[in-house]
mmCIF file of all heavy atoms in Angstrom:
data_model
loop_
_atom_site.group_PDB
_atom_site.id
_atom_site.type_symbol
_atom_site.label_atom_id
_atom_site.label_comp_id
_atom_site.label_asym_id
_atom_site.label_seq_id
_atom_site.Cartn_x
_atom_site.Cartn_y
_atom_site.Cartn_z
ATOM 1 N N ASP A 26 174.122 91.083 53.995
ATOM 2 C CA ASP A 26 172.733 91.106 53.487
ATOM 3 C C ASP A 26 171.830 91.442 54.588
ATOM 4 O O ASP A 26 171.569 90.761 55.515
ATOM 5 C CB ASP A 26 172.357 89.694 52.939
ATOM 6 C CG ASP A 26 170.971 89.707 52.395
ATOM 7 O OD1 ASP A 26 170.395 90.714 51.976
ATOM 8 O OD2 ASP A 26 170.373 88.532 52.352
ATOM 9 N N VAL A 27 171.344 92.810 54.452
ATOM 10 C CA VAL A 27 170.420 93.261 55.520
ATOM 11 C C VAL A 27 169.060 93.500 54.817
ATOM 12 O O VAL A 27 168.888 94.472 54.141
ATOM 13 C CB VAL A 27 170.955 94.613 56.147
ATOM 14 C CG1 VAL A 27 170.010 95.166 57.101
ATOM 15 C CG2 VAL A 27 172.323 94.323 56.852
ATOM 16 N N PRO A 28 168.060 92.601 55.016
ATOM 17 C CA PRO A 28 166.873 92.749 54.310
ATOM 18 C C PRO A 28 166.067 93.897 54.960
ATOM 19 O O PRO A 28 166.226 94.324 56.118
ATOM 20 C CB PRO A 28 166.069 91.483 54.635
ATOM 21 C CG PRO A 28 166.737 90.922 55.877
ATOM 22 C CD PRO A 28 168.086 91.411 55.863
ATOM 23 N N PRO A 29 165.290 94.672 54.046
ATOM 24 C CA PRO A 29 164.501 95.738 54.587
ATOM 25 C C PRO A 29 163.480 95.290 55.575
ATOM 26 O O PRO A 29 163.092 94.201 55.640
ATOM 27 C CB PRO A 29 163.863 96.311 53.308
ATOM 28 C CG PRO A 29 163.825 95.138 52.307
ATOM 29 C CD PRO A 29 164.967 94.325 52.709
ATOM 30 N N GLY A 30 163.004 96.293 56.331
ATOM 31 C CA GLY A 30 161.905 95.929 57.337
ATOM 32 C C GLY A 30 162.303 96.533 58.765
ATOM 33 O O GLY A 30 163.322 97.058 58.965
ATOM 34 N N PRO A 31 161.469 96.125 59.667
ATOM 35 C CA PRO A 31 161.628 96.600 61.048
ATOM 36 C C PRO A 31 162.935 96.062 61.701
ATOM 37 O O PRO A 31 163.316 96.715 62.693
ATOM 38 C CB PRO A 31 160.317 96.303 61.782
ATOM 39 C CG PRO A 31 159.793 95.138 60.872
ATOM 40 C CD PRO A 31 160.210 95.329 59.586
ATOM 41 N N ARG A 32 163.413 94.970 61.233
ATOM 42 C CA ARG A 32 164.616 94.375 61.867
ATOM 43 C C ARG A 32 165.896 94.687 61.153
ATOM 44 O O ARG A 32 166.943 94.188 61.463
ATOM 45 C CB ARG A 32 164.508 92.837 62.110
ATOM 46 C CG ARG A 32 163.312 92.594 62.974
ATOM 47 C CD ARG A 32 163.320 91.688 64.078
ATOM 48 N NE ARG A 32 164.493 90.998 64.516
ATOM 49 C CZ ARG A 32 165.144 91.230 65.649
ATOM 50 N NH1 ARG A 32 164.582 92.033 66.594
ATOM 51 N NH2 ARG A 32 166.141 90.582 65.955
ATOM 52 N N ALA A 33 165.839 95.623 60.211
ATOM 53 C CA ALA A 33 166.895 96.009 59.320
ATOM 54 C C ALA A 33 167.925 96.774 60.308
ATOM 55 O O ALA A 33 167.516 97.733 61.009
ATOM 56 C CB ALA A 33 166.596 96.954 58.224
ATOM 57 N N ALA A 34 169.152 96.329 60.319
ATOM 58 C CA ALA A 34 170.186 96.939 61.171
ATOM 59 C C ALA A 34 171.535 96.644 60.588
ATOM 60 O O ALA A 34 171.787 95.587 60.067
ATOM 61 C CB ALA A 34 170.060 96.527 62.603
ATOM 62 N N ASP A 35 172.506 97.585 60.756
ATOM 63 C CA ASP A 35 173.888 97.339 60.314
ATOM 64 C C ASP A 35 174.722 96.927 61.563
ATOM 65 O O ASP A 35 174.302 97.170 62.753
ATOM 66 C CB ASP A 35 174.395 98.618 59.718
ATOM 67 C CG ASP A 35 173.677 99.035 58.494
ATOM 68 O OD1 ASP A 35 173.583 98.249 57.572
ATOM 69 O OD2 ASP A 35 173.252 100.180 58.493
ATOM 70 N N VAL A 36 175.864 96.280 61.321
ATOM 71 C CA VAL A 36 176.683 96.022 62.398
ATOM 72 C C VAL A 36 177.270 97.306 62.917
ATOM 73 O O VAL A 36 177.369 98.341 62.252
ATOM 74 C CB VAL A 36 177.846 95.068 62.014
ATOM 75 C CG1 VAL A 36 177.320 93.802 61.447
ATOM 76 C CG2 VAL A 36 178.736 95.693 60.974
ATOM 77 N N ILE A 37 177.712 97.300 64.231
ATOM 78 C CA ILE A 37 178.483 98.410 64.830
ATOM 79 C C ILE A 37 179.756 97.950 65.431
ATOM 80 O O ILE A 37 180.649 98.781 65.642
ATOM 81 C CB ILE A 37 177.644 99.174 65.883
ATOM 82 C CG1 ILE A 37 177.080 98.174 66.895
ATOM 83 C CG2 ILE A 37 176.437 99.887 65.164
ATOM 84 C CD1 ILE A 37 176.488 98.952 68.079
ATOM 85 N N GLY A 38 179.885 96.675 65.741
ATOM 86 C CA GLY A 38 181.091 96.106 66.304
ATOM 87 C C GLY A 38 180.730 95.101 67.414
ATOM 88 O O GLY A 38 179.731 95.176 68.027
ATOM 89 N N ASP A 39 181.640 94.078 67.444
ATOM 90 C CA ASP A 39 181.507 93.003 68.441
ATOM 91 C C ASP A 39 180.458 91.929 68.063
ATOM 92 O O ASP A 39 180.218 91.087 68.908
ATOM 93 C CB ASP A 39 181.331 93.533 69.904
ATOM 94 C CG ASP A 39 182.450 94.241 70.355
ATOM 95 O OD1 ASP A 39 183.705 93.901 70.069
ATOM 96 O OD2 ASP A 39 182.350 95.188 71.206
ATOM 97 N N GLU A 40 179.876 92.014 66.854
ATOM 98 C CA GLU A 40 178.978 90.946 66.506
ATOM 99 C C GLU A 40 179.771 89.727 66.038
ATOM 100 O O GLU A 40 180.967 89.857 65.551
ATOM 101 C CB GLU A 40 178.139 91.363 65.336
ATOM 102 C CG GLU A 40 177.129 92.487 65.646
ATOM 103 C CD GLU A 40 177.819 93.924 65.445
ATOM 104 O OE1 GLU A 40 178.997 94.009 65.241
ATOM 105 O OE2 GLU A 40 177.034 94.906 65.601
ATOM 106 N N PRO A 41 179.245 88.504 66.332
ATOM 107 C CA PRO A 41 180.010 87.308 65.945
ATOM 108 C C PRO A 41 179.953 87.066 64.425
ATOM 109 O O PRO A 41 178.998 87.401 63.756
ATOM 110 C CB PRO A 41 179.245 86.174 66.640
ATOM 111 C CG PRO A 41 178.023 86.710 67.078
ATOM 112 C CD PRO A 41 178.058 88.213 67.050
ATOM 113 N N ILE A 42 181.176 86.562 63.935
ATOM 114 C CA ILE A 42 181.265 86.175 62.493
ATOM 115 C C ILE A 42 181.255 84.637 62.523
ATOM 116 O O ILE A 42 182.033 83.998 63.132
ATOM 117 C CB ILE A 42 182.490 86.755 61.908
ATOM 118 C CG1 ILE A 42 182.570 88.202 61.895
ATOM 119 C CG2 ILE A 42 182.597 86.272 60.459
ATOM 120 C CD1 ILE A 42 183.888 88.796 61.424
ATOM 121 N N TRP A 43 180.234 84.159 61.758
ATOM 122 C CA TRP A 43 180.103 82.616 61.657
ATOM 123 C C TRP A 43 180.726 82.258 60.285
ATOM 124 O O TRP A 43 180.606 82.930 59.351
ATOM 125 C CB TRP A 43 178.620 82.311 61.646
ATOM 126 C CG TRP A 43 177.971 82.584 62.871
ATOM 127 C CD1 TRP A 43 177.507 83.798 63.453
ATOM 128 C CD2 TRP A 43 177.481 81.644 63.921
ATOM 129 N NE1 TRP A 43 176.906 83.578 64.611
ATOM 130 C CE2 TRP A 43 176.832 82.238 64.941
ATOM 131 C CE3 TRP A 43 177.542 80.219 63.892
ATOM 132 C CZ2 TRP A 43 176.274 81.651 65.997
ATOM 133 C CZ3 TRP A 43 176.923 79.522 65.012
ATOM 134 C CH2 TRP A 43 176.334 80.199 66.007
ATOM 135 N N HIS A 44 181.243 81.068 60.253
ATOM 136 C CA HIS A 44 181.763 80.467 59.085
ATOM 137 C C HIS A 44 181.410 79.014 59.064
ATOM 138 O O HIS A 44 181.917 78.244 59.975
ATOM 139 C CB HIS A 44 183.263 80.658 58.851
ATOM 140 C CG HIS A 44 183.698 80.327 57.562
ATOM 141 N ND1 HIS A 44 184.497 79.154 57.311
ATOM 142 C CD2 HIS A 44 183.531 80.783 56.284
ATOM 143 C CE1 HIS A 44 184.865 79.033 56.018
ATOM 144 N NE2 HIS A 44 184.162 79.992 55.353
ATOM 145 N N ASP A 45 180.736 78.504 58.157
ATOM 146 C CA ASP A 45 180.258 77.135 58.010
ATOM 147 C C ASP A 45 179.725 76.596 59.289
ATOM 148 O O ASP A 45 180.006 75.525 59.781
ATOM 149 C CB ASP A 45 181.405 76.257 57.574
ATOM 150 C CG ASP A 45 181.865 76.609 56.181
ATOM 151 O OD1 ASP A 45 180.971 76.976 55.364
ATOM 152 O OD2 ASP A 45 183.033 76.333 55.809
ATOM 153 N N GLY A 46 178.826 77.443 59.910
ATOM 154 C CA GLY A 46 178.025 77.007 61.100
ATOM 155 C C GLY A 46 178.702 77.201 62.494
ATOM 156 O O GLY A 46 178.124 76.741 63.453
ATOM 157 N N GLU A 47 179.953 77.810 62.564
ATOM 158 C CA GLU A 47 180.504 78.008 63.844
ATOM 159 C C GLU A 47 181.098 79.434 63.908
ATOM 160 O O GLU A 47 181.457 79.982 62.926
ATOM 161 C CB GLU A 47 181.647 76.955 64.211
ATOM 162 C CG GLU A 47 182.825 76.993 63.311
ATOM 163 C CD GLU A 47 183.874 76.022 63.691
ATOM 164 O OE1 GLU A 47 183.781 74.821 63.272
ATOM 165 O OE2 GLU A 47 184.782 76.394 64.560
ATOM 166 N N VAL A 48 181.127 79.917 65.181
ATOM 167 C CA VAL A 48 181.724 81.239 65.309
ATOM 168 C C VAL A 48 183.191 81.184 65.150
ATOM 169 O O VAL A 48 183.857 80.448 65.846
ATOM 170 C CB VAL A 48 181.279 81.855 66.743
ATOM 171 C CG1 VAL A 48 181.932 83.144 66.953
ATOM 172 C CG2 VAL A 48 179.788 82.004 66.799
ATOM 173 N N VAL A 49 183.736 82.054 64.275
ATOM 174 C CA VAL A 49 185.156 81.963 64.082
ATOM 175 C C VAL A 49 185.860 83.308 64.292
ATOM 176 O O VAL A 49 187.044 83.429 64.334
ATOM 177 C CB VAL A 49 185.477 81.589 62.664
ATOM 178 C CG1 VAL A 49 185.029 80.054 62.449
ATOM 179 C CG2 VAL A 49 184.856 82.458 61.581
ATOM 180 N N GLY A 50 185.064 84.392 64.378
ATOM 181 C CA GLY A 50 185.569 85.662 64.600
ATOM 182 C C GLY A 50 184.600 86.705 65.141
ATOM 183 O O GLY A 50 183.500 86.402 65.574
ATOM 184 N N TRP A 51 185.038 87.985 64.955
ATOM 185 C CA TRP A 51 184.127 89.046 65.577
ATOM 186 C C TRP A 51 184.303 90.256 64.623
ATOM 187 O O TRP A 51 185.320 90.459 63.990
ATOM 188 C CB TRP A 51 184.475 89.393 66.911
ATOM 189 C CG TRP A 51 185.951 89.708 67.014
ATOM 190 C CD1 TRP A 51 186.465 91.027 67.024
ATOM 191 C CD2 TRP A 51 187.070 88.867 67.306
ATOM 192 N NE1 TRP A 51 187.754 90.988 67.191
ATOM 193 C CE2 TRP A 51 188.251 89.678 67.347
ATOM 194 C CE3 TRP A 51 187.171 87.540 67.376
ATOM 195 C CZ2 TRP A 51 189.447 89.042 67.513
ATOM 196 C CZ3 TRP A 51 188.406 86.882 67.580
ATOM 197 C CH2 TRP A 51 189.538 87.781 67.632
ATOM 198 N N VAL A 52 183.310 91.088 64.535
ATOM 199 C CA VAL A 52 183.220 92.380 63.856
ATOM 200 C C VAL A 52 183.898 93.409 64.675
ATOM 201 O O VAL A 52 183.614 93.436 65.885
ATOM 202 C CB VAL A 52 181.798 92.769 63.499
ATOM 203 C CG1 VAL A 52 181.690 94.169 62.912
ATOM 204 C CG2 VAL A 52 181.146 91.771 62.540
ATOM 205 N N THR A 53 184.775 94.138 64.075
ATOM 206 C CA THR A 53 185.450 95.273 64.803
ATOM 207 C C THR A 53 184.690 96.636 64.570
ATOM 208 O O THR A 53 184.660 97.383 65.416
ATOM 209 C CB THR A 53 186.830 95.368 64.397
ATOM 210 O OG1 THR A 53 186.987 95.351 62.993
ATOM 211 C CG2 THR A 53 187.701 94.178 65.039
ATOM 212 N N SER A 54 184.153 96.781 63.312
ATOM 213 C CA SER A 54 183.334 98.006 62.991
ATOM 214 C C SER A 54 182.632 97.756 61.787
ATOM 215 O O SER A 54 182.846 96.780 61.073
ATOM 216 C CB SER A 54 184.196 99.260 62.925
ATOM 217 O OG SER A 54 185.036 99.147 61.742
ATOM 218 N N GLY A 55 181.662 98.630 61.515
ATOM 219 C CA GLY A 55 180.859 98.455 60.332
ATOM 220 C C GLY A 55 179.821 99.558 60.290
ATOM 221 O O GLY A 55 179.656 100.449 61.090
ATOM 222 N N GLY A 56 178.948 99.451 59.229
ATOM 223 C CA GLY A 56 177.878 100.441 59.018
ATOM 224 C C GLY A 56 177.407 100.321 57.610
ATOM 225 O O GLY A 56 177.750 99.525 56.771
ATOM 226 N N TYR A 57 176.544 101.339 57.191
ATOM 227 C CA TYR A 57 176.124 101.426 55.869
ATOM 228 C C TYR A 57 177.018 102.195 54.960
ATOM 229 O O TYR A 57 177.417 103.353 55.395
ATOM 230 C CB TYR A 57 174.758 102.074 55.875
ATOM 231 C CG TYR A 57 173.899 101.970 54.549
ATOM 232 C CD1 TYR A 57 173.413 100.707 54.230
ATOM 233 C CD2 TYR A 57 173.916 103.008 53.723
ATOM 234 C CE1 TYR A 57 172.858 100.582 52.960
ATOM 235 C CE2 TYR A 57 173.184 102.892 52.487
ATOM 236 C CZ TYR A 57 172.707 101.653 52.069
ATOM 237 O OH TYR A 57 172.088 101.505 50.904
ATOM 238 N N ALA A 58 177.439 101.700 53.824
ATOM 239 C CA ALA A 58 178.147 102.311 52.854
ATOM 240 C C ALA A 58 177.331 102.941 51.821
ATOM 241 O O ALA A 58 176.678 102.245 51.054
ATOM 242 C CB ALA A 58 179.143 101.301 52.227
ATOM 243 N N HIS A 59 177.118 104.332 51.902
ATOM 244 C CA HIS A 59 176.077 104.848 50.984
ATOM 245 C C HIS A 59 176.344 104.848 49.481
ATOM 246 O O HIS A 59 175.486 104.676 48.690
ATOM 247 C CB HIS A 59 176.031 106.378 51.549
ATOM 248 C CG HIS A 59 175.300 106.452 52.928
ATOM 249 N ND1 HIS A 59 173.951 106.432 53.044
ATOM 250 C CD2 HIS A 59 175.916 106.554 54.081
ATOM 251 C CE1 HIS A 59 173.783 106.534 54.351
ATOM 252 N NE2 HIS A 59 174.865 106.529 55.059
ATOM 253 N N HIS A 60 177.658 105.083 49.201
ATOM 254 C CA HIS A 60 177.991 105.086 47.646
ATOM 255 C C HIS A 60 177.717 103.686 47.109
ATOM 256 O O HIS A 60 177.214 103.474 46.028
ATOM 257 C CB HIS A 60 179.358 105.539 47.459
ATOM 258 C CG HIS A 60 179.745 105.602 46.028
ATOM 259 N ND1 HIS A 60 180.285 104.581 45.273
ATOM 260 C CD2 HIS A 60 179.672 106.637 45.167
ATOM 261 C CE1 HIS A 60 180.499 104.944 43.984
ATOM 262 N NE2 HIS A 60 180.058 106.161 43.969
ATOM 263 N N ALA A 61 178.063 102.687 47.881
ATOM 264 C CA ALA A 61 177.907 101.230 47.364
ATOM 265 C C ALA A 61 176.556 100.760 47.624
ATOM 266 O O ALA A 61 176.152 99.655 47.116
ATOM 267 C CB ALA A 61 178.988 100.362 47.991
ATOM 268 N N ALA A 62 175.749 101.371 48.488
ATOM 269 C CA ALA A 62 174.413 101.084 48.847
ATOM 270 C C ALA A 62 174.370 99.616 49.490
ATOM 271 O O ALA A 62 173.574 98.768 49.081
ATOM 272 C CB ALA A 62 173.404 101.170 47.738
ATOM 273 N N THR A 63 175.293 99.419 50.413
ATOM 274 C CA THR A 63 175.214 98.077 51.010
ATOM 275 C C THR A 63 175.789 98.234 52.477
ATOM 276 O O THR A 63 176.434 99.167 52.779
ATOM 277 C CB THR A 63 176.159 97.055 50.301
ATOM 278 O OG1 THR A 63 175.906 95.785 50.800
ATOM 279 C CG2 THR A 63 177.605 97.316 50.291
ATOM 280 N N SER A 64 175.464 97.245 53.347
ATOM 281 C CA SER A 64 176.042 97.223 54.678
ATOM 282 C C SER A 64 177.351 96.577 54.630
ATOM 283 O O SER A 64 177.554 95.518 53.927
ATOM 284 C CB SER A 64 175.011 96.399 55.512
ATOM 285 O OG SER A 64 175.429 96.398 56.876
ATOM 286 N N VAL A 65 178.325 97.054 55.289
ATOM 287 C CA VAL A 65 179.616 96.603 55.328
ATOM 288 C C VAL A 65 180.084 96.341 56.827
ATOM 289 O O VAL A 65 179.750 96.982 57.704
ATOM 290 C CB VAL A 65 180.599 97.608 54.674
ATOM 291 C CG1 VAL A 65 182.024 97.216 54.780
ATOM 292 C CG2 VAL A 65 180.180 97.906 53.329
ATOM 293 N N ALA A 66 180.920 95.290 56.900
ATOM 294 C CA ALA A 66 181.505 94.960 58.182
ATOM 295 C C ALA A 66 182.972 94.719 58.093
ATOM 296 O O ALA A 66 183.400 94.127 57.010
ATOM 297 C CB ALA A 66 180.919 93.724 58.793
ATOM 298 N N LEU A 67 183.804 95.118 58.980
ATOM 299 C CA LEU A 67 185.155 94.738 59.096
ATOM 300 C C LEU A 67 185.388 93.912 60.331
ATOM 301 O O LEU A 67 184.670 94.169 61.331
ATOM 302 C CB LEU A 67 186.073 95.961 59.193
ATOM 303 C CG LEU A 67 186.045 96.903 58.004
ATOM 304 C CD1 LEU A 67 186.966 98.174 58.286
ATOM 305 C CD2 LEU A 67 186.493 96.326 56.744
ATOM 306 N N GLY A 68 186.177 92.808 60.208
ATOM 307 C CA GLY A 68 186.345 91.959 61.314
ATOM 308 C C GLY A 68 187.474 91.004 61.080
ATOM 309 O O GLY A 68 187.973 90.784 60.022
ATOM 310 N N TYR A 69 187.839 90.321 62.251
ATOM 311 C CA TYR A 69 188.941 89.417 62.164
ATOM 312 C C TYR A 69 188.341 87.871 62.110
ATOM 313 O O TYR A 69 187.526 87.606 62.885
ATOM 314 C CB TYR A 69 189.813 89.507 63.373
ATOM 315 C CG TYR A 69 190.732 90.644 63.287
ATOM 316 C CD1 TYR A 69 190.379 91.960 63.675
ATOM 317 C CD2 TYR A 69 192.059 90.618 62.695
ATOM 318 C CE1 TYR A 69 191.104 93.074 63.521
ATOM 319 C CE2 TYR A 69 192.812 91.688 62.540
ATOM 320 C CZ TYR A 69 192.410 92.947 62.981
ATOM 321 O OH TYR A 69 193.264 93.949 62.836
#
């Protein structure tokens, strides 16, 4: 969920993935998916 506005940004890699309040993984790559019109991240 990337809200519009000046702080709108997609992931590019190495961002932390949180689950239930703690960091559990990391993003390996991502970006904007134009056909689906959403921001996408892949990570472990």
Side-chain angles (χ1 to χ4, degrees):
D26 181 21
V27 177
R32 301 228 1 119
D35 298 305
V36 301
I37 57 171
D39 293 326
E40 293 86 356
I42 300 174
W43 295 73
H44 186 250
D45 293 335
E47 69 177 86
V48 175
V49 296
W51 57 92
V52 171
T53 50
S54 69
Y57 191 74
H59 292 275
H60 185 269
T63 190
S64 184
V65 177
L67 298 177
Y69 283 89

